[in-house]
Amino acid sequence: MSVDEHRRPTRVKRLPREVRERQILDAAVRVFSAHGYHSASMDEISDVAGVSKPMIYAYLGHKEDLFAACIRREASLLVEAIADGVAADANPDMQLWTGLRAFFRFVGEQRESWRVLHRQATSQGGPFSEELMGMRSRAISLVDALLVRSATSRGVPTKSTEAMAVALVGAGESLADWWLDHPDVPEKTVASWLMNLVWMGLGDLVDGASWLPADH
Amino acid sequence: MSVDEHRRPTRVKRLPREVRERQILDAAVRVFSAHGYHSASMDEISDVAGVSKPMIYAYLGHKEDLFAACIRREASLLVEAIADGVAADANPDMQLWTGLRAFFRFVGEQRESWRVLHRQATSQGGPFSEELMGMRSRAISLVDALLVRSATSRGVPTKSTEAMAVALVGAGESLADWWLDHPDVPEKTVASWLMNLVWMGLGDLVDGASWLPADH
DNA sequence: TCCAAGACCTACTCACGAGTAGGCTACGGG
DNA sequence: CCCGTAGCCTACTCGTGAGTAGGTCTTGGA
């Protein structure tokens, strides 16, 4: 035993850099998602990607760079999705509603991406989080802008809307994590729970009132 | 230069195990808080604690055990504080209010503890988080119970109150993190923002209504 | 046909950090 | 005064994983 023990079945062909980079990023997201930044090893990533380690260094740079690249790619997709949702001009509550739905839809469809974004990136205080925090800020700004627009220039203090945007985003993140463990709940339902919490408020909900989308 | 370069000033005396353990835990919280679980080295912790590494192993066990011990200690304090706040029997909104205030007071006073609890522990998917997740669950349960009690047995689905409790806790965590970067805002103010968000809801706030504590 | 460039690999080096072996010293009880 | 025990340390081992040196093979153009 051992003659030719390492033969790769007709070596998967040489591929253009572009393709390899995507493969590597995909692999990296999976591995980072599974183990977290520190515990993920470049060896495992190269393994999953089906290339050798030096390729990663040649194409995407060091571990930090690679991680940042993952964050950038995934976060852009998420923020874009939300922004598109909110964009449709309508009442504040409908804007928030479509934004929330876009957010939960993304999380539902891209669980691994979400794990990387939320669980891993927020924790590592290092230079990575720059990337992520920038995106998170964009999300917060979206919400903040919505709040400011809504509060018809009553003398609402700037900081309070910002803080509420932060709280709302945090609520979304937390609920999204919970949802990972309760996949049976439909996306629309989760979204409506959060919508009711932040739009109606517990005070109203306790009294039996609730918010419903004014669809068609 | 270098004669005696390592003289410790009259060696700080031998101390009973009890005291050393507290010193080590204190140091561990600081270091974990500063660098995160993985990047924190046992060497640095022993250094900060003013003892040698083997002492840590002798008293608190391996790195994981040490981390778990930190979590356990800090989380207990936090949950206790919140539970005490909520305990005072009163209306649901006042219960929530006192709970929130207790939470933010803890965060304000124990910033490093909070960092360890939130930033570090939630990220590491390992066996550590067991400890932390248990505590977080207790917090969520507190809120959930409050919600269930409030919703006067109208047919509110269990899952929705649980989910809302999760969202609320997430909002609190997120806002607490934001607060770390805006220390000028008084504790009571932050608490009232969150209170308004979740009790009144954006719908009411947009209309200019707001919640105020019914104090004295 | 030859060469340059780019895809791709094996097989290392090297630092760092967890965990340990094997001590030494102070103190309290017999 | 002697010894057991508990506080405490220096100085290691050893695995793991980031990052690299230095090549090979293939393809397309001159």
Side-chain angles (χ1 to χ4, degrees), chain A residues 59-81:
Chain A
Y59 287 168
L60 277 311
H62 293 200
K63 195 179 183 184
E64 270 187 24
D65 304 325
L66 177 59
F67 190 69
C70 292
I71 299 296
R72 201 165 22 239
R73 194 179 70 166
E74 306 303 321
S76 294
L77 289 173
L78 174 54
V79 173
E80 239 48 75

Side-chain angles (χ1 to χ4, degrees), chain A residues 38-39 96 119-120 122-123 136 147 150-151 154 159-160 162-164 166-168 170-171 174-175 178 182 184-185 193-194 196-208, chain B residues 38-39 96 119-120 122-123 136 147 150-151 154 159-160 162-164 166-168 170-171 174-175 178 182 184-185 193-194 196-208:
Chain A
H38 279 284
S39 307
L96 184 55
R119 295 269 230 278
Q120 311 314 332
T122 50
S123 64
R136 194 172 188 268
L147 296 189
S150 305
R154 222 174 302 269
K159 282 221 167 166
S160 83
E162 188 194 341
M164 283 184 189
V166 169
L168 177 44
S174 179
L175 191 51
W178 176 89
H182 301 72
D184 45 308
V185 180
W193 286 341
L194 184 51
N196 269 285
L197 175 61
V198 300
W199 193 262
M200 297 300 287
L202 293 172
D204 288 340
L205 295 178
V206 160
D207 290 340
Chain B
H38 278 284
S39 306
L96 185 54
R119 295 268 231 277
Q120 312 313 334
T122 50
S123 63
R136 195 172 188 267
L147 297 188
S150 305
R154 222 175 302 270
K159 282 221 167 166
S160 82
E162 187 194 341
M164 283 184 188
V166 169
L168 177 45
S174 179
L175 191 51
W178 176 89
H182 300 74
D184 46 308
V185 180
W193 287 341
L194 184 52
N196 270 284
L197 175 62
V198 300
W199 193 263
M200 297 300 287
L202 294 173
D204 288 339
L205 295 179
V206 161
D207 290 340

